[in-house]
């Protein structure tokens, strides 16, 4: 039974945190008014930020704003003109080239907390995903809704990652201490 409990600590910790996230999503998502939850956005952020330091998580979160702006820039740049070659929209191609090239410069801004390429590209992909409900930044209201969901749920995911690591370390200290006792012949 003791071995079962040792093996079960981490899965139980993660299950409790995920259940709390589900409750928060169930309370928050109806306020957004898009007819479904966005727990999956938090899970993406949780997964990506799991092994990050707190500073890296903050940088990632800031990067979402930059990524959102880059994605909106790409979308609107692609609407400048509709010419295409073999089905490839020229304006969109130019916009993708320009904005992806520009965001890669942020990696050099280490002193300004804007250098999370992971966070930037997460902001881009979440914006392009339409958050799974097909919403795009076509109006100011829709743009703020998208950005709000990205920022809020990414924050929730980073918090879940933080507490996952915190409680896993806390509950696994006993396992490490027991291993040290056995190793030193003090059993």
């Amino acid at each position: 039974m003791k071995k079962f409990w040792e093996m079960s600590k981490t899965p139980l910790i993660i299950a409790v945190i995920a259940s709390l996230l589900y409750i928060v999503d169930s309370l928050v998502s109806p306020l957004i008014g898009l007819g479904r939850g966005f727990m999956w956005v938090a899970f993406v952020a949780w997964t990506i930020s799991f092994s990050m330091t707190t500073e890296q998580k903050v940088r990632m979160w800031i990067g979402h704003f930059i990524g959102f702006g880059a994605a909106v820039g790409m979308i609107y740049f692609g609407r400048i003109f509709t010419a295409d070659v073999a089905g490839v929209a020229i304006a969109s191609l130019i916009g993708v080239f320009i904005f992806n090239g520009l965001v890669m410069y942020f990696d050099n801004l280490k002193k300004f907390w804007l250098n999370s390429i992971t966070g930037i590209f997460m902001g881009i992909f979440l914006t392009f995903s339409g958050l799974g409900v097909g919403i795009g930044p076509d109006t100011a209201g829709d743009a703020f809704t998208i950005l709000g969901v990205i920022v809020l749920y990414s924050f929730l995911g980073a918090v879940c990652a933080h507490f996952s690591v915190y409680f896993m370390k806390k509950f696994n200290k006993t396992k490490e201490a027991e291993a040290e006792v056995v190793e030193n012949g003090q059993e």
Side-chain angles (χ1 to χ4, degrees), residues 133-148:
V133 295
I135 187 173
D138 298 320
T139 67
D142 287 348
F144 282 113
T145 298
I146 293 169
L147 183 58

Side-chain angles (χ1 to χ4, degrees), residues 140-154:
D142 287 348
F144 282 113
T145 298
I146 293 169
L147 183 58
V149 169
I150 291 170
V151 169
L152 173 62
Y153 279 87
S154 292

